Amino acid sequence: MDSLLQALQPLPMTLLFTIPLLFLLGLVFRTRRRLPYPPGPKGLPIIGNMSLMDQLTHRGLAKLAKQFGGIFHLRIGYLHMVAVSSPDVARQVLQVQDNIFSNRPATIAISYLTYDRADMAFAHYGPFWRQMRKLCVMKLFSRKRAESWESVRDEVDSTVRDVVANTGKAVNVGELVFSLTRNIIYRAAFGSLSHDGQDEFITILQEFSKLFGAFNIADFIPWLGWADPQGLNNRLEKARQSLDGFIDHIIDDHINKKKKHGVVEGDTDMVDELLAFYSEEAKVNESDDSIKLTRDNIKAIIMDVMFGGTETVASAIEWAMAELMKSPEDLKKVQEELADVVGLDRRVEESDFDKLKYLKCCLKETLRLHPPIPLLLHETAEDAEVAGYYIPAKSRVMINAWAIGRDSNSWEDAETFKPSRFLQEGVPDYKGSNFEFIPFGSGRRSCPGMQLGLYALDLCVAHLLHCFTWELPDGMKPSEMDMNDVFGLTAPRAIRLVAVPTKRVVCPL
Ligand code: HEM
């Protein structure tokens, strides 16, 4: 009997704690459920707001924000979407509650093409992502990895030579800078051996890009996945096979080179850096701080770098050149500054950057008006409450960096290119703690390639403007320039910038 009583004794004690706890949890759950979703357009049963699919761009969402506010809600099929367009709500999501909002959404295509999120950019927030990010920041994007910075300098030099060969002719500046950034990243990733195979790789990247952006009904209504009317599954399989064929070969070459010659200090590319962590079996172990990468991890990280580092930088360079061509007074000021600080008898060097204050302002103003990644895509890890609204777990959160940069409550004359605003004291900076200006994002998922990207942007624009004078072709007036953009992963110019260069410096190029 005694033993029976003893066995029962802990039970009431447990109940004493669990019943109120369950009650409390129930209360919290009910309160949360009672919170409304953020406001938003009314949808239809099952498909929700699918008729608004074509408005899920930075411009479309900014327009809807004017109607529904800085945070609004859409439902596309089964997917909840939340658009954030005000600096205050962005702070809530990227800083105050970043533990809930730091996952990444991935479509079926993205999951498949990233080898089931074996990369960093699409990995959910957690131990794997943390280790990958640490590795990438330290080994690939660090200022200490001098080879990446060197490839920027070499490729900018080569672009200047291309322009010299075309002085007096109409140059497609857009194509020029896209091929510049592809060369930089290709070389930083795969080595300086040659550009062999680059065309094949670009074709693979383009197909990946199309598949990333393709509409797939199964992303929104999973049980319709069997239909696959556009034959996407077939294309996905083919795209991944092409990438496997291309990169496996490069990885094998690197492994053989290492076996033959060992690691040559100062001559390593990103594949070499990643191969130092290569193993057949992936492993993440936070306690012993070690990480092992499989081939899939290596391939997926290389694709992150390709996608993260090419279009973003190229689009920023092209927009900066275009805005300056459209604003001749600002262009004149920048070129006068270059002549004063550098002088026309030599080229720009990195040590000049700090003194090129007006150029810096123009680049910031470009990133404010044209953030290369206009929508930051995040996903909630659990149910959340923001600004008194309920946001369910696994919601897709789109932070509209483009709309935030043009928010008239934060910026005077928000739609106008006005670089001098950045000369004023206390004006927001893009380091990530001013939520009025977030071209690189902010917090945990912010851009790890910011330093490298800014270096390429500074160096390229400074060279193009210092070495050459630029005129619009065929007597076109600045006011006639088309400043529209197109929406994808980035928002480049809809019409490529074309301009005619003339040599400006007196030193040899
Ligand atoms: C002007 C140049 C660039 C801009 C404006 C830019 C902007 C951004 C933005 C807005 C994000 C997402 C932030 C978020 O979701 O909250 C991002 C992420 C990322 N960027 Fe950049 N980027 C630039 C250059 C680069 C370069 C040069 C690289 C690599 C070589 C790079 C690699 C990445 C990667 C891997 C991520 C994903 C990080 C993660 O999910 O943890 N970016 N970038």
Side-chain angles (χ1 to χ4, degrees):
M1 187 65 181
D2 268 0
S3 59
L4 184 66
L5 274 177
Q6 259 170 7
L8 284 175
Q9 200 96 51
L11 202 63
M13 284 301 280
T14 320
L15 286 179
L16 204 70
F17 284 104
T18 43
I19 289 175
L21 193 71
L22 284 175
F23 179 71
L24 211 70
L25 281 175
L27 207 69
V28 168
F29 186 67
R30 276 183 44 208
T31 319
R32 276 234 162 124
R33 287 302 302 271
R34 247 191 267 130
L35 288 174
Y37 289 124
K42 275 224 158 8
L44 295 169
I46 302 184
I47 62 166
N49 303 106
M50 207 171 274
S51 61
L52 297 177
M53 265 319 271
D54 61 345
Q55 291 184 45
L56 301 184
T57 66
H58 53 297
R59 286 180 187 274
L61 292 171
K63 221 185 231 170
L64 286 168
K66 289 222 159 79
Q67 200 181 339
F68 297 104
I71 177 165
F72 67 88
H73 170 260
L74 296 163
R75 196 174 50 75
I76 311 275
Y78 288 95
L79 187 72
H80 289 280
M81 287 186 167
V82 174
V84 171
S85 322
S86 84
D88 280 350
V89 184
R91 179 189 303 280
Q92 278 296 319
V93 165
L94 295 173
Q95 188 180 55
V96 181
Q97 302 197 50
D98 60 345
N99 55 330
I100 301 182
F101 284 85
S102 290
N103 276 357
R104 280 269 188 242
T107 57
I108 293 170
I110 288 175
S111 298
Y112 186 78
L113 295 176
T114 55
Y115 301 84
D116 203 11
R117 298 170 184 258
D119 63 332
M120 170 188 32
F122 288 103
H124 275 321
Y125 176 70
F128 172 75
W129 170 83
R130 230 187 331 266
Q131 291 279 30
M132 292 284 264
R133 176 124 177 160
K134 204 182 329 166
L135 186 151
C136 288
V137 167
M138 279 164 42
K139 295 288 172 186
L140 303 188
F141 306 135
S142 144
R143 185 73 232 227
K144 285 195 214 117
R145 225 195 89 75
E147 293 91 335
S148 299
W149 266 255
E150 204 177 291
S151 59
V152 174
R153 281 191 297 273
D154 287 352
E155 295 299 336
V156 167
D157 282 355
S158 143
T159 300
V160 167
R161 286 194 298 276
D162 281 353
V163 179
V164 170
N166 286 292
T167 44
K169 297 181 205 152
V171 169
N172 188 323
V173 180
E175 272 172 24
L176 185 85
V177 298
F178 269 80
S179 96
L180 162 72
T181 57
R182 273 198 295 255
N183 290 346
I184 294 173
I185 299 293
Y186 191 86
R187 205 176 128 172
F190 298 137
S192 55
L193 307 170
S194 73
H195 290 309
D196 277 357
Q198 196 166 338
D199 288 346
E200 183 191 345
F201 192 60
I202 288 167
T203 313
I204 297 172
L205 283 179
Q206 282 166 344
E207 175 65 353
F208 264 55
S209 194
K210 278 186 209 145
L211 287 165
F212 278 168
F215 173 76
N216 184 351
I217 187 83
D219 283 321
F220 307 100
I221 305 180
W223 48 267
L224 282 180
W226 56 268
D228 191 22
Q230 304 130 285
L232 282 179
N233 295 341
N234 210 357
R235 271 176 69 192
L236 286 172
E237 215 171 295
K238 274 205 184 127
R240 210 167 80 172
Q241 273 166 9
S242 314
L243 180 69
D244 284 339
F246 185 84
I247 302 198
D248 273 333
H249 173 69
I250 291 185
I251 294 179
D252 290 338
D253 277 356
H254 279 70
I255 293 176
N256 292 336
K257 187 182 81 182
K258 196 167 146 193
K259 270 192 201 141
K260 259 198 204 153
H261 309 292
V263 177
V264 183
E265 256 324 287
D267 185 27
T268 54
D269 55 38
M270 290 187 180
V271 173
D272 289 317
E273 300 283 358
L274 295 170
L275 275 175
F277 299 86
Y278 175 58
S279 152
E280 293 299 322
E281 291 293 321
K283 179 180 151 226
V284 169
N285 187 340
E286 279 214 291
S287 56
D288 74 2
D289 228 25
S290 69
I291 183 165
K292 290 278 172 241
L293 303 177
T294 62
R295 265 176 193 253
D296 286 355
N297 293 134
I298 296 179
K299 288 177 207 166
I301 293 175
I302 293 291
M303 289 311 259
D304 279 0
V305 175
M306 291 291 164
F307 276 108
T310 48
E311 274 189 39
T312 46
V313 180
S315 142
I317 300 172
E318 192 187 6
W319 274 118
M321 292 293 290
E323 286 290 2
L324 285 168
M325 300 278 324
K326 194 162 191 294
S327 174
E329 299 100 79
D330 289 309
L331 179 59
K332 191 164 161 234
K333 271 194 197 170
V334 173
Q335 289 194 312
E336 278 173 5
E337 180 180 72
L338 282 160
D340 283 350
V341 171
V342 183
L344 294 179
D345 52 350
R346 71 170 175 90
R347 303 168 65 141
V348 190
E349 278 157 29
E350 200 183 334
S351 51
D352 300 314
F353 281 1
D354 276 351
K355 287 173 238 143
L356 296 171
K357 300 244 182 300
Y358 205 70
L359 173 67
K360 270 252 143 59
C361 292
C362 294
L363 297 179
K364 283 184 183 174
E365 184 67 340
T366 303
L367 291 171
R368 180 184 74 83
L369 284 173
H370 309 284
I373 301 185
L375 293 181
L376 318 186
L377 299 180
H378 290 221
E379 190 182 281
T380 44
E382 54 188 78
D383 288 357
E385 180 193 330
V386 173
Y389 298 116
Y390 167 63
I391 300 175
K394 288 192 193 297
S395 294
R396 183 171 300 182
V397 181
M398 301 168 287
I399 301 130
N400 196 340
W402 182 87
I404 288 174
R406 292 170 182 239
D407 179 21
S408 57
N409 294 321
S410 316
W411 301 96
E412 214 183 288
D413 233 347
E415 296 288 332
T416 313
F417 183 76
K418 231 182 178 182
S420 58
R421 71 175 82 238
F422 283 101
L423 290 172
Q424 285 160 26
E425 280 286 297
V427 70
D429 205 349
Y430 47 51
K431 300 279 156 56
S433 47
N434 298 119
F435 289 83
E436 300 86 354
F437 189 29
I438 46 170
F440 295 95
S442 172
R444 298 174 197 219
R445 299 305 295 233
S446 65
C447 178
M450 178 167 96
Q451 261 197 315
L452 185 58
L454 284 173
Y455 180 69
L457 175 63
D458 282 357
L459 198 72
C460 181
V461 176
H463 268 77
L464 291 180
L465 295 179
H466 184 55
C467 299
F468 309 98
T469 312
W470 296 88
E471 302 266 339
L472 290 170
D474 307 322
M476 183 197 262
K477 294 195 195 82
S479 58
E480 290 165 1
M481 287 174 73
D482 182 328
M483 301 300 268
N484 280 314
D485 55 17
V486 282
F487 178 72
L489 172 69
T490 58
R493 286 174 59 75
I495 307 235
R496 293 270 83 102
L497 172 68
V498 175
V500 182
T502 328
K503 192 174 168 216
R504 177 170 176 262
V505 284
V506 291
C507 59
L509 291 174

